[in-house]
């Protein structure tokens, strides 16, 4: 009887460990000089986006695998009024990056939709004609690991030759001038 | 017997641990003005309408001025009622702004959206102003407090509403109900699929 109870108890614990890790504990927000937590994103289906990020095949990839010297990551949500209002300016940043020799091919831009499903990210992308890759974070797991930042939030990350990375920018809120923001990013990423 | 009780208790704790999640991404549009009530009981009311029933009619004051009646849309438009629990709370503040950028989906399905809370008009005015210009009406079910929510069976025991969606067709018949976990935002694609079914 006692033995059976122990087995039952063990089964309940196994269920918890194997099938549910419980609420994902919110991490702390990475700061300048630190590193992002392990973030895995799906390789884009869009061949243009795959080329832009220097990826191939399918499955998941890490930020450090993006073919770039540095990456700007916008944490956004289709449900966020500021992200909606500033979408045009972030698009402008991307266009400028593609036109600026110091940035093109070296500095890349991606967005991660906090709590947004692939469908919801698609709505945002289509509504605002977003030209750069956006990724879904439907279960908020990435958002939680980044300390549940408010949106929009921007991270700048330097990619090192060994695939590791270092945060050089971590700030809440958008920007008023895409060119000024780009110049600041280039300087902080030491690409100027 | 004692072992069984212990197992039951442990299972209950595990269930609470697994199910008590809340996740929201908060827009900076609301700054630090959002009150977080923490994790709430997922649902706390008993529905009084079912799919296939005639939707109870109502008339409520709108933030935009005047009053809006559900009956006004009878024979003209499909209607989505979006009850959200309370102004200035986390998940609610990140729900209607998303609907605000999908007017074309509602138009395509000959539908309109009515947002409802039990907050009063001044509160709703201040809150929804942070969301930008909304294309849909926001209605106040403040007085008699939560009367419409109660009629639909989505008034919780603490006086706020459930996070609930009702899709009502042009004939005034309830075609879809989602009394969602109050701690989570319903997926947009599910609502869109339900709207698309109306035209089939």
């Amino acid at each position: 009887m006692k033995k059976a109870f122990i087995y039952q108890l063990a089964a309940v614990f196994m269920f918890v460990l194997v099938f549910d890790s419980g609420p994902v504990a919110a991490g702390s927000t990475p700061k300048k000089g630190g590193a992002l937590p392990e973030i895995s994103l799906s390789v884009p289906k869009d061949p243009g986006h795959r080329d832009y990020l220097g990826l191939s095949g399918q499955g998941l990839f890490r930020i450090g695998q993006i073919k770039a010297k540095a990456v700007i990551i916008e944490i956004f949500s289709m449900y966020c009024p500021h992200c909606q209002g500033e979408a045009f300016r972030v698009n402008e940043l991307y266009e400028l990056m593609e036109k600026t020799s110091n940035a093109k091919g070296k500095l890349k831009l991606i967005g991660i939709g906090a709590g947004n499903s692939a469908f919801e990210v698609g709505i945002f992308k289509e509504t605002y004609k977003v030209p750069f890759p956006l990724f879904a974070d439907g279960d908020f797991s990435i958002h939680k690991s980044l300390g549940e930042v408010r949106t929009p939030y921007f991270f700048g990350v330097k990619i090192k030759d060994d695939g590791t990375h270092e945060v050089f920018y971590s700030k809440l809120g958008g920007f008023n001038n895409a060119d000024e923001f780009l110049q600041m990013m280039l300087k902080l990423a030491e690409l100027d | 017997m004692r072992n069984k009780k212990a197992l039951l208790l442990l299972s209950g704790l595990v269930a609470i641990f697994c199910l008590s999640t809340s996740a929201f991404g908060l827009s900076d549009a609301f700054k630090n003005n959002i009150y977080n009530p923490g994790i709430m009981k997922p649902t706390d009311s008993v529905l009084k309408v079912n799919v296939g029933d005639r939707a109870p009619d109502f008339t409520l004051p709108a933030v935009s001025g005047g009053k809006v009646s559900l009956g006004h849309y009878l024979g003209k438009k499909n209607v989505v009622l979006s009850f959200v629990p309370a102004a200035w709370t986390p998940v609610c503040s990140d729900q209607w702004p998303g609907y605000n950028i999908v007017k074309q989906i509602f138009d395509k399905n000959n539908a309109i959206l009515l947002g409802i809370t039990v907050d009063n008009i001044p509160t709703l005015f201040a809150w929804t102003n942070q969301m930008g210009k909304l294309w849909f009406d926001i209605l106040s079910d403040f007085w008699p407090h939560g009367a419409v929510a109660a009629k639909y069976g989505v008034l919780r025991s603490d006086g706020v509403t459930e996070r609930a969606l009702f899709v009502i067709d042009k004939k005034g018949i309830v075609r879809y109900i989602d009394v969602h976990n109050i701690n989570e935002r319903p997926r947009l694609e599910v609502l869109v699929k339900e709207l698309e079914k109306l035209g089939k």
Side-chain angles (χ1 to χ4, degrees):
Chain A
M1 182 66 183
K2 198 172 178 181
K3 202 173 177 182
F5 173 68
I6 291 167
Y7 282 138
Q8 283 174 324
L9 206 61
V12 172
F13 274 115
M14 286 301 285
F15 170 81
V16 177
L17 290 173
V18 175
F19 294 105
D20 193 297
S21 56
V24 178
S28 57
T29 303
K31 301 292 177 209
K32 188 176 173 179
L36 296 180
E38 190 73 24
I39 292 175
S40 293
L41 300 167
S42 296
V43 172
K45 287 180 185 164
D46 182 324
H49 287 342
R50 275 203 305 270
D51 286 350
Y52 173 69
L53 298 175
L55 301 168
S56 58
Q58 298 173 335
L60 302 173
F61 72 97
R62 291 174 291 103
I63 300 294
Q65 290 176 279
I66 296 174
K67 194 178 173 189
K69 295 282 184 195
V71 180
I72 299 171
I73 304 165
E74 181 194 16
I75 308 299
F76 76 99
S77 168
M78 77 154 273
Y79 293 90
C80 152
H82 275 193
C83 306
Q84 296 167 0
E86 294 177 10
F88 79 95
R89 208 170 283 129
V90 185
N91 288 349
E92 195 185 334
L93 171 68
Y94 170 81
E95 304 296 349
L96 278 171
M97 285 166 64
E98 290 303 284
K99 284 181 203 162
T100 306
S101 59
N102 285 357
K104 188 171 173 60
K106 296 170 195 157
L107 183 61
K108 305 278 173 83
L109 175 62
I110 65 169
I112 298 175
N116 291 183
S117 64
F119 179 87
E120 291 164 332
V121 164
I123 291 281
F124 189 85
K125 191 167 176 54
E126 192 182 312
T127 303
Y128 299 104
K129 310 280 180 254
V130 178
F132 56 89
L134 299 180
F135 298 90
D137 174 31
D139 62 359
F140 286 98
S141 57
I142 296 172
H143 182 249
K144 278 182 184 286
S145 73
L146 294 172
E148 299 183 316
V149 294
R150 295 212 300 267
T151 53
Y153 196 101
F154 286 88
F155 289 102
V157 175
K158 266 191 275 191
I159 310 283
K160 297 176 185 170
D161 292 337
D162 62 1
T164 60
H165 67 267
E166 182 184 324
V167 174
F168 66 83
Y169 184 85
S170 170
K171 200 172 174 184
L172 172 67
F175 44 85
N176 293 323
N177 184 303
D179 188 38
E180 284 175 11
F181 186 77
L182 174 58
Q183 295 312 318
M184 180 176 68
M185 290 291 110
L186 288 170
K187 192 173 180 184
L188 291 172
E190 298 170 322
L191 293 171
D192 57 341
Chain B
M1 187 65 183
R2 189 181 290 173
N3 287 350
K4 275 188 179 172
K5 274 185 183 172
L7 188 65
L8 204 63
L9 181 68
L10 184 65
S11 302
L13 289 170
V14 167
I16 291 167
F17 178 72
C18 294
L19 298 173
S20 298
T21 59
S22 174
F24 53 88
L26 198 53
S27 170
D28 192 39
F30 302 96
K31 301 295 176 193
N32 290 314
N33 297 314
I34 297 298
Y35 174 78
N36 187 353
I39 307 291
M40 298 172 77
K41 190 178 169 188
T43 57
D44 182 33
S45 60
V46 179
L47 267 174
K48 290 183 186 159
V49 294
N50 294 303
V51 169
D53 289 354
R54 181 159 291 283
D57 196 15
F58 60 81
T59 301
L60 287 172
V63 172
S64 59
K67 293 194 171 185
V68 170
S69 297
L70 178 65
H72 171 75
Y73 298 102
L74 206 58
K76 299 173 191 165
K77 292 277 184 187
N78 299 308
V79 177
V80 176
L81 303 182
S82 168
F83 287 90
V84 300
W88 302 107
T89 55
V91 185
C92 304
S93 300
D94 275 348
Q95 186 171 339
W96 290 345
Y99 299 158
N100 203 31
I101 63 168
V102 291
K103 182 176 184 295
Q104 76 284 2
I105 293 177
F106 281 81
D107 288 346
K108 194 176 148 193
N109 293 288
N110 200 20
I112 58 110
L113 172 63
L114 298 175
I116 306 174
T117 83
V118 294
D119 299 286
N120 66 7
I121 290 285
T123 301
L124 286 173
F125 172 81
W127 180 52
T128 57
N129 259 353
Q130 313 308 310
M131 299 177 188
K133 186 169 171 51
L134 300 179
W135 61 266
F136 50 92
D137 268 316
I138 303 299
L139 310 180
S140 168
D141 190 17
F142 178 67
W143 200 257
H145 188 83
V148 173
K151 213 187 266 190
Y152 279 76
V154 290
L155 187 65
R156 293 169 65 100
S157 59
D158 61 356
V160 301
T161 76
E162 301 287 4
R163 186 176 315 287
L165 291 166
F166 292 84
V167 176
I168 300 161
D169 69 15
K170 280 188 271 188
K171 292 177 183 166
I173 304 299
V174 176
R175 298 283 294 271
Y176 172 73
I177 302 172
D178 175 15
V179 180
H180 212 76
N181 178 345
I182 195 169
N183 304 296
E184 295 171 4
R185 185 176 55 221
R187 285 273 177 243
L188 181 62
E189 53 267 46
V190 178
L191 176 60
V192 171
K193 271 186 191 161
E194 293 301 325
L195 283 173
E196 287 170 347
K197 281 183 195 170
L198 297 177
K200 289 177 183 168

